[in-house]
Amino acid sequence: MLGVGVRRIVSPVNANNAISEGALPSVLPVGRLRRGFRSATCGGSLIAAGIVTLTTLTLSRRSVAPSLRANRVSSMASSDGPDADRERELQGLWANAYDGWIDVPGESGGAIYTRPVDAPGVRAHLPFPPIVTASRLFALTGFNPMGEERPIAENRAANGKLRADIEAMTPAPKAWWRAYGFAHDWREDGFVLAYEPNDGDAGEKAAVDLAVKYGQGAIYAYSAVNNDAGLLRRRTVPAAMGQTVEADVKVERCDRPGLKFADPALPDEEY
């Protein structure tokens, strides 16, 4: 659920540190950041995309997707210029984002939150539900196409269309749930898709294609790390943007951050 269009980003996590454990690919990317972004600890002070949640936007018009694909190829071919500078900034944002997941199968305690392991604070060692660690996960959104902030009604409508596309996906995920990526002053809602490991590669391709359709710069991909029930590998996978946005970090389950945008039931007027 990762979009585009950021002016200034603080990025305390080193997103370029490759993770060797479980080199399987896995998604909630994000769209446009509001000004004055500040990261926060999971204990109470921060995704694209994500979720996502992550972060994780609707160019729902069919004529746009080929252009986005062409732009992505062009961006991958060059690491110089203003677009590459912006992508490097977004990489730091997305690598440091927090996720919120709602109604995860097997979870009865409300929303699940994740944070980068390198974020300040002591590890919580909270386990994820089995469906999380036994699946390849991908997160994306319909909010704020191409990083342009849209009214919440438009964003909700875009997510409604995205949900319909998810329900018609091939291959179909074995499960999906609502999700969101958030920071101190930014949030975008979307979805996480769960695939069996054997379907993970095809699921990732389908999720990226869908993200391109909805104007997403990237998606998140999650997979288990060394059988640790409370730890995931989270990759930022390019969609409508180039390889500069790629990142590979570890995230852990954590308690709810003390941030307004961590609220699963955030009123529309607060977006």
Side-chain angles (χ1 to χ4, degrees), residues 144 149-156:
N144 300 332
E149 190 170 359
R150 299 293 176 87
I152 188 61
E154 290 187 23
N155 284 332
R156 295 287 188 213

Side-chain angles (χ1 to χ4, degrees), residues 7 37-38 49 67 111 124 128 134 144 181 195-196 199 215 220 245:
R7 302 198 173 211
F37 167 81
R38 296 193 300 270
S67 175
F128 289 103
N144 300 332
Y195 282 87
E196 294 288 357
D199 295 328
Y220 281 151
V245 301

